Amino acid sequence: MGKRTEFLFLSEPDCIAAGVLDARKCVDNAEEVFKLLAQGDYLMGGAGHNSHGLPLVFPQESPFPNMPLAGPDRRFVAMPAYLGGRFDICGVKWYGSNAANKHRGLPRSVLTVMLNDKETGEPLCLMSANLSSAARTGAVPAVGARYLARQNAETLTCVGCGPIGRGCLDAIATVLPNLKRVVCNNRSPANAMALAEHVERDLGLTAVVEPELETAVRQADVLSIAVSRTAPLHLKREWVQPGCTLLASGPFQCDEALWLDMKIVLDNTALHQTYVQEGKENHDPSYGNHIGTPIYQLIDAGKLPSLEAFPTLGKIILGEQGGRTGEEEILCFINDGMAIFDMGLCHDLYETALEQGIGQKLVLWDSAAQCAE
């Protein structure tokens, strides 16, 4: 008789029951992952183990009538990873993205995560991952705020008020002890209003809807940027007040003077080096329009030092590099999304689900003898 293989399926409500909306726990989980990242106890895709993922990008035109064509934010991406430490887990985040989804009543991206046994490859858990992705995306800049923002920060400006923006807000709010006001700015006024209502109803803070980007940015002690590639924005140096901490979870442009004035902190140097390498191999001067693209271009122009010169958040957490050095210093934390953070959070959701009997067990096979080698 061969070995029976079964795995757990977690729906989005199951993930909620397992704690995906507990923002503080998500931030603590992300901080733990940052330490493993800094120590090197992880693997991601690609030959250098630091690729964001393998994208399936659609062509502009095709002779095949059913083949999908390129469109705003349209792609599929597989993001495999191994995370060490107490997690010791392999898995893959898989998502399809299409800006047109909003017209179908769907989120822009539809996401799942599969966790696997690192030795056998057997599936352990398949879970819906839209909420966990938003939670970990929000938790990452919140760890940045925990270590980089001024402790007396009172005003958080959220540029981008969709699901990712809300995830960032909920997480960042847990680490700013003196937070009093949240300024909501969004291309769609309805999203800004909805986020403001959430702030006042669920967080007990003062909320302001500010449609003008400049006015919103000028008020920020901490500035959370969570916009998609389809909603580009440009910040001016004079808008950003001394001591502000920028948390970049989405792409943005700004005056060259602002880039040169800010202390830039990276999530993972090797990830950004991989983006640069891939951009040069593809003869792409935009480097794929990543969050760090303006930095790469300024390095090419000789106006910023090499990527290795910037501190990383994990090493700041471990005390190996310095963070904020003064109350007037402007800092910018660049985070570009890594599957190891999905693995860390989804691992803990899976463990909680097992302990509490949450989810549905599915059988892959009753006996390995039933399947071919």
Side-chain angles (χ1 to χ4, degrees):
M1 290 292 292
K3 181 178 178 294
R4 175 186 172 95
T5 294
E6 63 182 22
F7 62 95
L8 191 65
F9 171 73
L10 297 179
S11 67
E12 206 74 282
D14 292 333
C15 291
I16 293 173
V20 72
L21 299 182
D22 188 331
R24 186 172 292 277
K25 284 188 178 180
C26 293
V27 175
D28 292 341
N29 179 283
E31 181 172 337
E32 192 173 353
V33 175
F34 266 116
K35 293 176 182 177
L36 294 171
L37 172 62
Q39 294 163 347
D41 194 2
Y42 74 97
L43 298 169
M44 292 192 293
H49 308 306
N50 277 286
S51 176
H52 173 78
L54 177 64
L56 178 63
V57 180
F58 299 118
Q60 295 291 332
E61 56 185 32
S62 170
F64 305 103
N66 291 329
M67 181 174 287
L69 300 180
D73 229 355
R74 191 173 193 186
R75 63 195 179 278
F76 282 91
V77 183
M79 301 170 65
Y82 165 78
L83 182 63
R86 69 172 177 87
F87 303 100
D88 198 29
I89 194 77
C90 277
V92 62
K93 178 180 179 180
W94 170 248
Y95 75 88
S97 177
N98 190 345
N101 277 356
K102 64 182 179 181
H103 303 301
R104 302 183 175 100
L106 292 169
R108 175 180 58 84
S109 298
V110 179
L111 307 104
T112 56
V113 163
M114 175 67 84
L115 301 178
N116 296 81
D117 185 288
K118 68 171 186 178
E119 298 294 341
T120 67
E122 292 171 287
L124 300 173
C125 184
L126 171 65
M127 62 180 72
S128 177
N130 274 60
L131 283 177
S132 64
S133 182
R136 72 86 166 148
T137 301
V140 167
V143 179
R146 178 180 277 174
Y147 282 88
L148 303 176
R150 292 183 289 113
Q151 286 297 296
N152 62 354
E154 295 184 353
T155 299
L156 167 65
T157 292
C158 295
V159 178
C161 300
I164 298 301
R166 176 168 171 165
C168 292
L169 160 69
D170 288 345
I172 294 167
T174 70
V175 303
L176 297 179
N178 293 297
L179 182 63
K180 296 178 181 177
R181 296 174 69 248
V182 177
V183 180
C184 305
N185 172 271
N186 197 81
R187 187 170 56 173
S188 164
N191 283 353
M193 288 293 299
L195 190 68
E197 291 171 3
H198 166 63
V199 168
E200 297 196 335
R201 180 185 65 245
D202 302 323
L203 302 183
L205 300 169
T206 299
V208 177
V209 174
E210 178 47 66
E212 295 297 327
L213 179 63
E214 176 182 351
T215 306
V217 171
R218 283 184 180 275
Q219 300 176 62
D221 296 317
V222 177
L223 174 60
S224 172
I225 299 173
V227 298
S228 73
R229 298 182 188 188
T230 61
L233 53 103
H234 186 104
L235 307 182
K236 294 187 177 181
R237 171 64 187 89
E238 60 266 27
W239 297 355
V240 180
Q241 66 174 311
C244 184
T245 304
L246 285 76
L247 305 169
S249 304
F252 73 102
Q253 294 284 343
C254 65
D255 292 349
E256 185 176 295
L258 180 56
W259 283 120
L260 301 182
D261 280 353
M262 292 189 294
K263 179 174 185 175
I264 298 168
V265 177
L266 302 178
D267 49 0
N268 177 5
T269 304
L271 175 72
H272 295 279
Q273 290 171 327
T274 301
Y275 282 146
V276 170
Q277 179 182 347
E278 291 173 348
K280 290 180 177 178
E281 289 173 352
N282 295 327
H283 305 288
D284 179 8
S286 75
Y287 295 111
N289 192 26
H290 297 293
I291 297 174
T293 290
I295 299 171
Y296 315 152
Q297 294 170 334
L298 287 170
I299 292 172
D300 286 346
K303 296 179 180 180
L304 282 176
S306 66
L307 286 166
E308 295 88 344
F310 299 115
T312 61
L313 185 57
K315 291 190 175 182
I316 290 173
I317 294 170
L318 294 175
E320 297 176 5
Q321 292 177 330
R324 176 175 290 278
T325 59
E327 291 294 294
E328 301 256 308
E329 188 175 34
I330 299 173
L331 284 88
C332 181
F333 173 50
I334 301 291
N335 78 88
D336 226 313
M338 287 177 279
I340 54 175
F341 289 94
D342 296 281
M343 297 305 109
L345 179 54
C346 289
H347 170 276
D348 282 3
L349 296 175
Y350 167 59
E351 291 288 328
T352 298
L354 287 179
E355 293 168 4
Q356 299 183 9
I358 299 168
Q360 178 183 357
K361 289 189 176 180
L362 301 177
V363 177
L364 197 64
W365 53 64
D366 287 312
S367 168
Q370 296 172 343
C371 63
E373 285 292 333

